[in-house]
Amino acid sequence: MVRKLFTLSLAVASATVLAAAPGVQASSPSPSPAPASAKTAAPAQKAKTIVDVATEAGSFTTLLKALEAADLVKTLSEEGPFTVFAPTDEAFAALPKGTLDDLLKPENKEKLKRVLSYHVVSGELLSQNLEAGKVTTLAEVPVEISVKDGIRVNDAKVATPDLKASNGVIHVIDKVLLPPEK
């Protein structure tokens, strides 16, 4: 108790002397400079999901619009992992006239979900792990994978494989996959 009282008295006396002394300013000790590595360390970045990677790529505007219309953006932003065979804007433009407009109508939301789910496989399938054969999509309908003369999904060619995301992988394809009618 006496020691604490002495320490407190000493601190008050020091502050009084510093405040009363002309030309002397009381200041707290300046912090030591941060190590160089701390100054250059980038802030932690949020891991990029499939939706983020598709957005940044710039060639999936139509796909992103369709995902939004089908309420699937949240799903493809979740943990996954997912493998997405992603048609480019050009692939959507090659659909028969009126097909995309019809799919985007609110009354066709379930049909649009089925089409988009036909492009997604549960799990992460990198190009080096793809084998010839059938793979079941989230639409519960299989697609046919071919690895002879490049990777194909049904009749769509994989133009760019393995765009990695935190929750899976995107393989860019040159055609929109349409599931068989029920």
Side-chain angles (χ1 to χ4, degrees):
M1 173 80 169
V2 173
R3 179 177 280 173
K4 287 183 182 177
L5 190 54
F6 176 74
T7 304
L8 181 60
S9 298
L10 185 60
V12 169
S14 297
T16 305
V17 169
L18 285 173
V24 177
Q25 295 179 348
S27 65
S28 60
S30 32
S32 59
S37 61
K39 289 180 183 177
T40 59
Q45 291 184 351
K46 180 183 165 207
K48 294 178 182 168
T49 65
I50 286 170
V51 173
D52 297 329
V53 171
T55 301
E56 286 182 7
S59 56
F60 302 109
T61 307
T62 308
L63 175 61
L64 292 165
K65 181 179 176 181
L67 289 170
E68 193 167 307
D71 291 329
L72 292 175
V73 170
K74 182 179 179 204
T75 300
L76 290 180
S77 297
E78 291 175 350
E79 189 173 325
F82 302 104
T83 297
V84 178
F85 299 107
T88 61
D89 291 337
E90 291 80 18
F92 276 101
L95 285 171
K97 186 175 171 109
T99 303
L100 181 61
D101 291 334
D102 190 53
L103 284 171
L104 291 173
K105 290 179 181 175
E107 62 268 22
N108 291 331
K109 184 176 181 178
E110 289 306 312
K111 186 175 181 180
L112 179 60
K113 275 186 179 182
R114 180 170 156 75
V115 168
L116 295 173
S117 296
Y118 191 56
H119 291 80
V120 183
V121 175
S122 183
E124 183 177 80
L125 301 174
L126 297 174
S127 61
Q128 71 254 19
N129 300 329
L130 288 173
E131 296 178 359
K134 294 183 185 260
V135 178
T136 302
T137 65
L138 294 186
E140 298 179 359
V141 179
V143 290
E144 184 74 33
I145 304 293
S146 169
V147 293
K148 185 179 178 185
D149 299 323
I151 302 169
R152 289 184 127 6
V153 183
N154 291 350
D155 61 343
K157 180 181 177 189
V158 173
T160 306
D162 302 327
L163 297 179
K164 293 281 291 158
S166 63
N167 61 340
V169 63
I170 297 172
H171 300 295
V172 181
I173 58 175
D174 66 351
K175 292 184 180 179
V176 176
L177 306 174
L178 296 174
E181 294 295 321
K182 289 183 179 181

